[in-house]
Amino acid sequence: MHLISRFSLFLALATICFSTLADESMRALEKQGTNLRLSGNFVAAKIIENELIARYTQPAGHVFALNSIITQLTWDETETLYDEALVNHASKTLDWCEPRLEFEEVGATANYYCGQANFALSFHHALRGNYYQAGKRGTASIDYLETALTMDPALIDAKMHLGVGYHVADNLPPFIKMFSRVLWFIPTGNSEKSLPYLLDVIEDGDQYRDVARYIYSILLLETPELRPEASIQLQQLVALYPANSRFQLRLMSLLIIMDDYHGTLRTISGYLDIRKSPAEPDLSLTKIWKVRAYLGLGKTQLAANTFNEISAVFRDARDDLPNWGVAWYVLTDGQLHDLASRRDQALGAYREILSIAKDTYVSDNILEAARAGLSEPYQIQPKP
């Protein structure tokens, strides 16, 4: 009996050690995949995703896939290619985590995974206009992630999704908030937790430190006085991941919004030197910011010449471009027509902007410029 007891103890310890080693190898693989995604290497990240799904019973691979899909949708929210996969990966994750939420050994992980699955579903439903389901899933996501943190305070990465969730919920248009009080569309927000949570992940997180840094910089963009700090964060990301075109393009767009046109041109020059010859559509998206910088500096001929270099790409491959890029292109087209005294073509472009905005998100900057262009021709603003 004593021998059996010893053997049982040995078996239990061996099982725990094996489980720990498996967890460590899984976490290392997740981290490798996240770094590949941060570097802009989505093909290699997909290989890691498939390996995670094949090797482990925990749904780490499905959660990794959800985060990869969210990354793609934040680049172009109108893309529907990933809808079926998102729902499938979320279902696989929930099938594993829901029965284990109160298990002592894996309860924190189960709540963490359930939180991320519901976060992805909330995002998906919001993009597709199903606000009831978006709010329901958003509420569940926050509850699961807070529970995960309570069960394991060292699970700092959970604060990344929480930080986004709280910010979005607390900064919705008033009319949506009005409905949410009645229909429970949207979880209660807490902006006071949002940015500090993201900063905690940047300082002490595991695999999501630089993902949180990117999200933090995007949230800072919304407040003009915080944009210099956003620029600092994006410059760090560009330095760490120079091959990731999305970080580069986001920095360029921020510098344009800040009227730092020389800084925009320096960033573009450095990016093109690093990448030599970026593939389309990245090259044309870069050049649209170059055109905006030239316009900001009053160099209309350089702006027109650069714009002509990208017209064919935006005209012939429009469906392959993110909608925000198309909107900037159309606005710039209208303004260049105005500068060349082609008022009818300019008005057509401004009206197209308003039409685009009916079907997808268009930034306030673009909409304001289009409405102003409908009222009177665009002119280069004299420098103070």
Side-chain angles (χ1 to χ4, degrees):
M1 191 70 177
H2 184 62
L3 209 55
I4 293 173
S5 240
R6 284 186 177 179
F7 179 75
S8 298
L9 178 62
F10 170 78
L11 188 61
L13 289 172
T15 302
I16 291 170
C17 290
F18 178 78
S19 175
T20 302
L21 288 172
D23 284 350
E24 287 177 359
S25 67
M26 184 176 72
R27 297 285 176 261
L29 202 56
E30 284 180 294
K31 205 165 188 176
Q32 181 186 352
T34 298
N35 285 332
L36 287 167
R37 198 164 54 210
L38 284 164
S39 299
N41 192 340
F42 296 105
V43 174
K46 182 68 176 179
I47 294 171
I48 297 292
E49 172 192 314
N50 291 335
E51 187 174 349
L52 284 166
I53 291 172
R55 284 176 58 179
Y56 302 103
T57 56
Q58 282 193 16
H62 296 292
V63 173
F64 185 89
L66 290 172
N67 286 309
S68 293
I69 292 170
I70 294 294
T71 300
Q72 299 293 355
L73 291 176
T74 55
W75 185 244
D76 184 2
E77 74 279 358
T78 63
E79 180 60 75
T80 59
L81 177 66
Y82 309 103
D83 285 9
E84 184 177 345
L86 185 151
V87 173
N88 177 61
H89 288 299
S91 296
K92 296 284 188 183
T93 302
L94 294 172
D95 286 346
W96 183 90
C97 68
E98 286 180 339
R100 296 171 171 82
L101 292 171
E102 297 182 9
F103 286 16
E104 185 176 348
E105 290 184 359
V106 296
T109 299
N111 278 277
Y112 182 41
Y113 284 161
C114 273
Q116 291 184 75
N118 277 280
F119 179 91
L121 288 169
S122 177
F123 191 84
H124 165 70
H125 287 305
L127 290 181
R128 303 299 167 245
N130 190 342
Y131 297 116
Y132 175 76
Q133 285 296 327
K136 183 179 176 182
R137 293 293 185 176
T139 299
S141 174
I142 286 176
D143 288 345
Y144 283 129
L145 292 167
E146 287 287 13
T147 301
L149 269 176
T150 300
M151 296 179 79
D152 182 4
L155 198 58
I156 303 298
D157 279 355
K159 291 185 175 183
M160 185 188 76
H161 293 87
L162 273 171
V164 179
Y166 278 133
H167 182 90
V168 170
D170 213 33
N171 291 274
L172 290 166
F175 73 92
I176 295 182
K177 279 210 158 189
M178 179 183 70
F179 281 112
S180 73
R181 296 190 193 103
V182 180
L183 301 176
W184 295 357
F185 281 2
I186 306 296
T188 301
N190 190 335
S191 285
E192 291 182 359
K193 281 187 175 182
S194 175
L195 295 181
Y197 267 13
L198 290 169
L199 285 171
D200 284 347
V201 181
I202 292 170
E203 292 296 322
D204 300 314
D206 182 20
Q207 64 170 304
Y208 290 141
R209 287 188 179 196
D210 289 329
V211 180
R213 187 185 305 280
Y214 179 67
I215 295 170
Y216 179 66
S217 71
I218 299 309
L219 298 188
L220 293 180
L221 292 178
E222 299 174 13
T223 308
E225 56 267 27
L226 297 179
R227 286 171 184 166
E229 175 61 22
S231 174
I232 291 170
Q233 298 295 333
L234 283 171
Q235 287 177 43
Q236 288 188 39
L237 288 170
V238 164
L240 288 167
Y241 309 102
N244 189 330
S245 62
R246 298 184 182 185
F247 293 156
Q248 300 271 4
L249 289 164
R250 180 65 78 175
L251 177 57
M252 294 170 206
S253 70
L254 171 58
L255 294 173
I256 287 291
I257 293 171
M258 295 171 65
D259 297 333
D260 184 358
Y261 305 119
H262 290 292
T264 304
L265 292 174
R266 284 195 300 271
T267 300
I268 291 170
S269 178
Y271 171 54
L272 294 181
D273 283 347
I274 291 168
R275 292 291 300 267
K276 301 302 179 187
S277 182
E280 293 292 1
D282 292 347
L283 180 59
S284 291
L285 290 169
T286 301
K287 287 187 176 181
I288 199 69
W289 297 126
K290 196 172 190 178
V291 175
R292 301 304 310 179
Y294 284 146
L295 285 175
L297 293 170
K299 299 180 178 181
T300 55
Q301 193 56 55
L302 281 173
N305 292 344
T306 306
F307 189 80
N308 288 336
E309 294 174 10
I310 62 176
S311 290
V313 173
F314 278 87
R315 185 176 58 249
D316 300 336
R318 182 164 172 160
D319 290 344
D320 298 327
L321 296 161
N323 269 25
W324 59 263
V326 173
W328 274 110
Y329 171 84
V330 175
L331 175 67
T332 306
D333 186 34
Q335 291 175 336
L336 287 171
H337 279 308
D338 260 341
L339 291 173
S341 300
R342 296 187 292 266
R343 185 62 178 156
D344 287 345
Q345 292 95 317
L347 289 171
Y350 301 140
R351 292 190 188 104
E352 185 178 354
I353 290 289
L354 300 184
S355 177
I356 292 172
K358 293 177 182 178
D359 299 320
T360 188
Y361 172 77
V362 175
S363 74
D364 290 342
N365 289 338
I366 297 175
L367 286 173
E368 288 170 10
R371 291 185 182 117
L374 288 170
S375 299
E376 57 185 47
Y378 171 77
Q379 292 181 323
I380 297 291
Q381 298 298 316
K383 298 299 172 194

